[in-house]
Amino acid sequence: MSNDKKNEIIENLKKSYWMEIETVMNYLANSVHLDGIRAEEVKEKLSVEVADELGHATRLAKRLKELGAAVPGSLEFNAEQKTMQPPEDTTDMYAIVKGVVDAETGAIEQYKKIIRLCDGVDYVTQDLCIGLQADEEEHLVIFQGYLKALDKDRK
């Protein structure tokens, strides 16, 4: 694989790593922040997802190391998940579930990009990202279901 291609793959792996880390922070915050009886199921699911997303970040970090890249430290972090911020109204589940759908959709798109980049040149990274994409798609379906129910309630 050419150095340019390898560097492009590494930069995209780092982007995915940061997306996962930011998701961990926001899922953790919202799993504690939300209030109300209806929030309990979402809070519980977010708590479980924290471990899954941290596992994704760990797998990405290991792959970066295997490719000879440094795993980035916190000074390289730039927050991007505007829709995942804990809402002022701690009972606003719709805002958080919509934010989760946005985050999962973004992660899926990023993994698809890496899968295409790796095609024919880095099957190990491609395989890793296919598995991570599958996990994110599973999470997306769950939260899309929550969003449908919340949407129905809003009407």
Side-chain angles (χ1 to χ4, degrees):
M1 143 175 44
S2 73
N3 274 345
D4 287 345
K5 181 63 106 174
K6 182 178 179 180
N7 289 337
E8 188 176 6
I9 290 168
I10 287 170
E11 287 310 306
N12 277 281
L13 285 172
K14 285 181 180 180
K15 179 175 180 164
S16 290
Y17 171 80
W18 283 124
M19 291 172 80
E20 297 289 0
I21 293 294
E22 186 173 15
T23 297
V24 166
M25 289 189 287
N26 288 320
Y27 283 13
L28 176 62
N30 285 299
S31 74
V32 174
H33 182 72
L34 289 173
D35 288 320
I37 295 170
R38 299 205 47 212
E40 289 307 310
E41 184 177 352
V42 171
K43 288 172 62 170
E44 186 177 315
K45 187 63 179 160
L46 287 173
S47 291
V48 170
E49 295 297 326
V50 166
D52 284 352
E53 303 298 337
L54 186 56
H56 294 173
T58 301
R59 293 171 66 194
L60 291 163
K62 287 178 181 176
R63 187 62 187 147
L64 284 165
K65 175 77 171 164
E66 291 163 357
L67 290 171
V71 178
S74 63
L75 293 179
E76 295 180 45
F77 177 70
N78 292 308
E80 296 182 4
Q81 292 179 350
K82 291 181 169 86
T83 61
M84 278 297 304
Q85 301 309 300
E88 243 181 76
D89 176 358
T90 62
T91 64
D92 187 356
M93 290 212 327
Y94 186 87
I96 293 309
V97 172
K98 175 72 172 94
V100 171
V101 168
D102 292 347
E104 298 293 345
T105 300
I108 291 165
E109 291 308 310
Q110 179 62 18
Y111 287 128
K112 285 180 179 179
K113 180 179 180 183
I114 297 171
I115 291 163
R116 287 188 300 272
L117 275 172
C118 292
D119 199 37
V121 293
D122 183 352
Y123 296 115
V124 174
T125 301
Q126 187 178 50
D127 185 57
L128 169 65
C129 290
I130 289 169
L132 294 174
Q133 178 186 333
D135 285 353
E136 301 297 10
E137 287 178 354
E138 182 182 332
H139 302 164
L140 178 62
V141 167
I142 292 165
F143 281 93
Q144 283 175 328
Y146 291 152
L147 194 61
K148 283 180 195 173
L150 291 167
D151 239 351
K152 190 175 180 180
D153 290 349
R154 288 172 62 149
K155 294 179 180 178

